[in-house]
Amino acid sequence: MSAILEAETPDKYFLSAKACWGILERARKRQKEVPLILKIALLERIAEDWQKSQTAS
């Protein structure tokens, strides 16, 4: 798989922080457990977006 992964990928192929939050929120409302590795990735994306907004202010 590593042979086909691209090092530089356009942002349009990534979930937005809002989409990540939505996934976590829907899982919480439905009382579904999100796999830990996915939860970490989603939270990291949300944190990155938050950090960018803090430095832009």
Side-chain angles (χ1 to χ4, degrees):
M1 183 145 168
S2 63
I4 62 169
L5 294 177
E6 295 184 25
E8 297 296 323
T9 308
D11 286 343
K12 69 179 184 177
Y13 295 112
F14 289 87
L15 291 173
S16 68
K18 184 177 181 179
C20 293
W21 182 257
I23 291 168
L24 293 170
E25 187 62 16
R26 281 187 298 281
R28 185 190 65 77
K29 285 181 180 178
R30 295 175 182 161
Q31 298 180 344
K32 300 286 184 177
E33 189 62 35
V34 177
L36 183 58
I37 192 77
L38 176 57
K39 186 181 284 188
I40 291 169
L42 295 171
L43 290 170
E44 283 181 353
R45 176 64 180 103
I46 293 167
E48 287 172 5
D49 195 59
W50 180 83
Q51 187 176 20
K52 285 179 187 175
S53 72
Q54 296 301 306
T55 57
S57 303

